[in-house]
Amino acid sequence: MAKQKLTKKKKWLIFGGGGVLLIIMIVASLAKDNTDTVQVETEKVSLQTVIHKVNASGKIKPETEVKISATSSAWIDSITVKEGDNVKKGRHLISLDRKQLLANYNSTASSVRSAEARVKQESASKKRVETMYEQNLASDQELEAVEASYQIAKSSLEQARSSLESRKDDLDKARIVAPQDGIVTAVNKEVGEMAVGGMFQAEVLMIIADLTQMEVIVDVNENDVVSVSLGDTTEIEIDAFQDTLFYGVVSEIAHMAQTTSMGSAEQVTNFEVKIRIIDVPDGIRPGMSATANIITDKKVDVLAIPIQSLTVRPEGSEKSFGKGKKPSGGKDGKEKAKAKKMEELVFILADKPGGVLRNGKLSEMDEKKGKKNKVPKNGKVVHIRPVEVGISSETHYEVIAGLDEGDEIVTGSYRAISKDLSHNKVVTTDKDGGDKEKGFKIQIGGSKDESEDSDSKQ
């Protein structure tokens, strides 16, 4: 009898051990399935406002800035203003030494008087010869000669008078006055120094600028400048004014490019863009650093997706078996490698495997590949969905075609979107993962209760 009871216990131990082993195998199998799934984050497509901005940095400069120089070289006698002074048009700024200029003026004035006397003399001679010619007392040659001398004397007088006007202008410009209203932003010379003047290499003695009208000069990359237009609204951040946003408008776009590091790998081609500041703040100074966000386009209440949700794949990527597999086709499953056109797409959440909706047409699903992706209860899969996008903001793309409002798309993680996900891939979200884990605990607990009931029955 004892031997018979011992045999029954052995049987129950064998059955119990087998049951435990079966449970372990099931759990291991489920765990293995979970390793094949990809944990993702999702978001529903909604209507949003998308604002496209072109970012550029540069310096603040006055719209009007005049550099004061001397027309002729002379010593500086006096400077009547200092840096920061507010001046009106016509105000006396700098006086240059007039001795040399005055001597040149007097010398030229003397030449004018001599030329005038020569004209009078030649005029009298001309009249005498003309009278004699009328009386047949002078020849044609004499008349022509005196006429020529008279014209030469008049020409010399005109030249002398022109030189006198030039000398007078030089003398007047020895007293330099303000050409416009503004503020003296720089004084580069001191009293007693030489002011080097001239037409081509004149030194800048002083700078006057109108600080009530300022602009930001930024360099915009050649890829972005095509979307910038005159009159575009701009958000301006000035480094010296923290946490303050200013506004401006694009007033000028350069037609010639500025290229740096020509011929090297770091070659950059930019275009200069001028942005007029609408409300110029007090305390602003030329040369301050600023960052501008040029608003080139704005779309209100359009379908939008997060930037990170958009990725690219080769066209027909749904025909591949999976990561690391080559597309099927050709003899013996081999296919010559070909460059394929890339398409922009997102991963959209679905309840079961299916085809790809591309250009309004749903492709047929490969049944053999579909059976490989076993979808757990309450599980999800992702379908690739080619999309056409428009403008972009700092966080979102405008969707032109391919999605509808309310579609749930994958927004993370970056590795999942860029590498791990493929068409009809089984995925779990945060919510799904929690439910599954809870389900596993209930299942294991239930098995334990059943074994306890069996022992009690024994």
Side-chain angles (χ1 to χ4, degrees):
M1 189 73 177
K3 189 175 181 180
Q4 187 177 2
K5 288 182 179 179
L6 185 62
T7 304
K8 286 183 178 180
K9 286 183 178 181
K10 285 182 179 180
K11 287 181 179 180
W12 281 113
L13 287 173
I14 292 171
F15 290 147
V20 171
L21 182 60
L22 181 61
I23 292 172
I24 292 173
M25 290 176 65
I26 292 172
V27 172
S29 176
L30 291 172
K32 184 177 180 181
D33 288 343
N34 280 340
T35 59
D36 291 336
T37 64
V38 179
Q39 187 79 20
V40 296
E41 300 168 6
T42 63
E43 180 180 308
K44 288 188 177 181
V45 180
S46 60
L47 298 177
Q48 296 190 29
T49 297
V50 181
I51 302 175
H52 182 253
K53 300 178 182 179
V54 172
N55 182 271
S57 57
K59 298 289 184 180
I60 294 176
K61 291 185 178 180
E63 285 191 24
T64 306
E65 185 179 72
V66 179
K67 296 179 180 179
I68 308 297
S69 299
T71 57
S72 58
S73 298
W75 299 102
I76 298 175
D77 275 347
S78 65
I79 299 176
T80 63
V81 295
K82 62 181 181 296
E83 190 170 326
D85 283 354
N86 197 337
V87 298
K88 297 292 183 181
K89 182 178 180 179
R91 177 175 172 177
H92 178 213
L93 302 176
I94 300 172
S95 291
L96 302 179
D97 180 29
R98 294 163 53 93
K99 292 178 183 177
Q100 182 70 32
L101 298 174
L102 186 59
N104 292 337
Y105 175 80
N106 292 333
S107 175
T108 306
S110 177
S111 298
V112 170
R113 290 191 293 271
S114 297
E116 288 174 344
R118 180 65 183 271
V119 168
K120 288 181 180 180
Q121 182 181 6
E122 293 295 334
S123 177
S125 298
K126 179 173 173 291
K127 288 180 179 180
R128 282 196 305 270
V129 172
E130 286 175 348
T131 301
M132 294 173 64
Y133 182 78
E134 290 175 355
Q135 298 174 0
N136 293 324
L137 298 176
S139 64
D140 293 339
Q141 291 83 358
E142 290 175 333
L143 181 63
E144 291 172 356
V146 75
E147 182 70 27
S149 297
Y150 177 71
Q151 294 298 331
I152 291 172
K154 283 182 65 177
S155 178
S156 298
L157 177 60
E158 291 176 357
Q159 291 179 2
R161 285 175 175 171
S162 297
S163 296
L164 182 63
E165 289 180 3
S166 177
R167 298 300 183 185
K168 185 177 184 304
D169 184 62
D170 291 340
L171 188 62
D172 292 340
K173 288 180 178 176
R175 184 178 184 273
I176 301 175
V177 298
Q180 67 167 34
D181 296 349
I183 293 177
V184 179
T185 57
V187 178
N188 300 326
K189 288 289 185 176
E190 298 289 342
V191 175
E193 293 184 330
M194 171 67 75
V196 179
M199 294 297 295
F200 304 105
Q201 295 181 343
E203 288 183 334
V204 177
L205 307 179
M206 186 179 296
I207 299 176
I208 296 177
D210 183 4
L211 300 186
T212 61
Q213 296 179 343
M214 305 291 281
E215 63 186 5
V216 183
I217 300 179
V218 297
D219 292 327
V220 178
N221 188 268
E222 58 181 328
N223 298 321
D224 297 324
V225 75
V226 293
S227 61
V228 178
S229 303
L230 293 175
D232 282 346
T233 304
T234 307
E235 298 172 347
I236 302 170
E237 296 179 1
I238 303 174
D239 294 353
F241 296 84
Q242 296 292 329
D243 303 324
T244 305
L245 193 64
F246 302 94
Y247 293 94
V249 292
V250 176
S251 59
E252 186 178 328
I253 303 172
H255 291 279
M256 290 289 292
Q258 298 177 346
T259 305
T260 58
S261 304
M262 177 72 76
S264 66
E266 292 79 22
Q267 178 175 326
V268 179
T269 302
N270 293 325
F271 288 81
E272 187 177 271
V273 175
K274 294 182 179 180
I275 302 167
R276 181 183 296 113
I277 302 176
I278 295 176
D279 292 321
V280 180
D282 295 334
I284 195 170
R285 295 289 184 271
M288 286 183 173
S289 299
T291 302
N293 289 315
I294 305 172
I295 301 174
T296 61
D297 203 353
K298 181 178 180 179
K299 299 289 184 68
V300 180
D301 290 338
V302 294
L303 288 178
I305 58 173
I307 285 179
Q308 70 273 13
S309 65
L310 188 70
T311 185
V312 293
R313 293 283 193 280
E315 278 191 357
S317 60
E318 71 274 9
K319 298 177 183 178
S320 301
F321 279 97
K323 189 172 74 172
K325 301 288 185 179
K326 293 183 178 180
S328 60
K331 293 183 179 180
D332 301 327
K334 295 181 180 179
E335 185 179 80
K336 187 177 180 180
K338 295 180 181 178
K340 288 198 171 184
K341 183 180 177 182
M342 306 298 284
E343 63 180 356
E344 295 179 327
L345 54 86
V346 296
F347 290 98
I348 186 168
L349 220 60
D351 295 325
K352 59 183 179 179
V356 178
L357 184 62
R358 184 181 284 112
N359 297 326
K361 296 180 180 180
L362 185 63
S363 65
E364 295 183 359
M365 183 186 67
D366 191 326
E367 295 296 335
K368 187 182 292 185
K369 295 175 187 177
K371 290 178 180 178
K372 290 187 176 183
N373 294 332
K374 295 181 179 180
V375 184
K377 188 177 180 181
N378 298 325
K380 298 284 186 180
V381 296
V382 291
H383 295 170
I384 66 172
R385 178 67 60 83
V387 295
E388 182 182 352
V389 296
I391 66 170
S392 63
S393 66
E394 295 176 353
T395 57
H396 285 77
Y397 280 111
E398 174 202 7
V399 179
I400 298 176
L403 290 173
D404 295 318
E405 185 178 2
D407 288 342
E408 193 167 3
I409 62 172
V410 176
T411 58
S413 64
Y414 172 78
R415 177 184 172 85
I417 295 173
S418 62
K419 189 174 182 180
D420 294 340
L421 292 182
S422 59
H423 186 61
N424 285 331
K425 182 75 173 179
V426 179
V427 298
T428 58
T429 62
D430 292 336
K431 183 177 179 181
D432 294 336
D435 293 342
K436 287 184 178 181
E437 186 179 352
K438 184 177 179 182
F440 295 155
K441 289 180 180 179
I442 294 172
Q443 185 180 1
I444 295 171
S447 300
K448 185 177 179 181
D449 292 340
E450 289 175 3
S451 62
E452 288 177 355
D453 292 341
S454 300
D455 292 339
S456 62
K457 285 180 182 178
Q458 289 180 359

